[in-house]
Amino acid sequence: MVNDMQVKLIETYSHKGEGYNPFLIRKGWQVAQLNYIPEQGINSILKIDVHPNTDEAFILLAGTAVLIAAARLTNNISYEMTNMEQGVVYNIPRGTWHNIAMKEDAQVIIIENDNTHQNDFGYYYLEESQKKALYQQIANELK
């Protein structure tokens, strides 16, 4: 009987602090949690991210978050976004610009290729006019 040896068969992971924490990393994949930080605030998004080599899946655990996908052609950006629902899996395909706008109570699980956060990303910093347009669209999504 395995339990006679006091082997723990169920591993548990959680992230209680702010920000991003990849806490379960295995060969080929990882699970991370993103909790609210001011840079992810509803009116604080400064950039969009892209992962050229991996999809990225998101699951809202708690709170309010808007998942943002962006089509970027030089400085012209168009957005598709959704007010995330708890328990729904959302996928951002590789090569798609994206970010998450969060309220202070938001917690999101992220599933992606291992070490995506270390070597498979790019950033585009939004200009002031692009930020204003994004914040307005986020506000409309939350209505």
Side-chain angles (χ1 to χ4, degrees):
M1 186 166 155
V2 175
N3 286 339
D4 288 343
M5 300 180 341
Q6 296 301 315
V7 174
K8 188 163 176 95
L9 299 177
I10 298 175
E11 299 174 353
T12 60
Y13 301 89
S14 64
H15 172 51
K16 302 293 184 200
E18 290 187 340
Y20 176 81
N21 181 27
F23 49 66
L24 176 56
I25 302 173
R26 298 293 188 261
K27 184 174 173 64
W29 61 276
Q30 71 182 24
V31 178
Q33 186 169 331
L34 176 64
N35 294 340
Y36 172 84
I37 53 174
E39 297 83 30
Q40 297 298 142
I42 298 296
N43 291 310
S44 302
I45 301 294
L46 301 176
K47 64 184 178 185
I48 50 178
D49 312 346
V50 68
H51 305 294
N53 300 308
T54 185
D55 285 15
E56 191 170 19
F58 300 88
I59 304 167
L60 181 67
L61 287 180
T64 301
V66 175
L67 184 60
I68 303 160
R72 179 177 163 245
L73 184 59
T74 60
N75 288 346
N76 187 14
I77 300 175
S78 61
Y79 299 104
E80 177 183 326
M81 57 185 69
T82 188
N83 189 356
M84 297 176 74
E85 296 179 36
Q86 286 185 358
V88 175
V89 177
Y90 300 90
N91 187 59
I92 297 291
R94 69 178 177 202
T96 301
W97 292 93
H98 63 282
N99 206 330
I100 302 176
M102 307 171 86
K103 289 192 175 180
E104 291 183 12
D105 59 351
Q107 299 175 331
V108 176
I109 291 292
I110 302 171
I111 301 136
E112 59 197 350
N113 284 357
D114 62 330
N115 298 315
T116 295
H117 63 289
Q118 294 179 343
N119 58 21
D120 183 28
F121 60 87
Y123 299 118
Y124 174 77
Y125 286 87
L126 301 169
E127 297 172 4
E128 283 304 313
S129 62
Q130 294 168 330
K131 286 188 272 189
K132 287 180 184 177
L134 175 61
Y135 302 158
Q136 182 59 55
Q137 197 167 340
I138 291 168
N140 291 343
E141 186 64 35
L142 289 172
K143 288 182 182 177

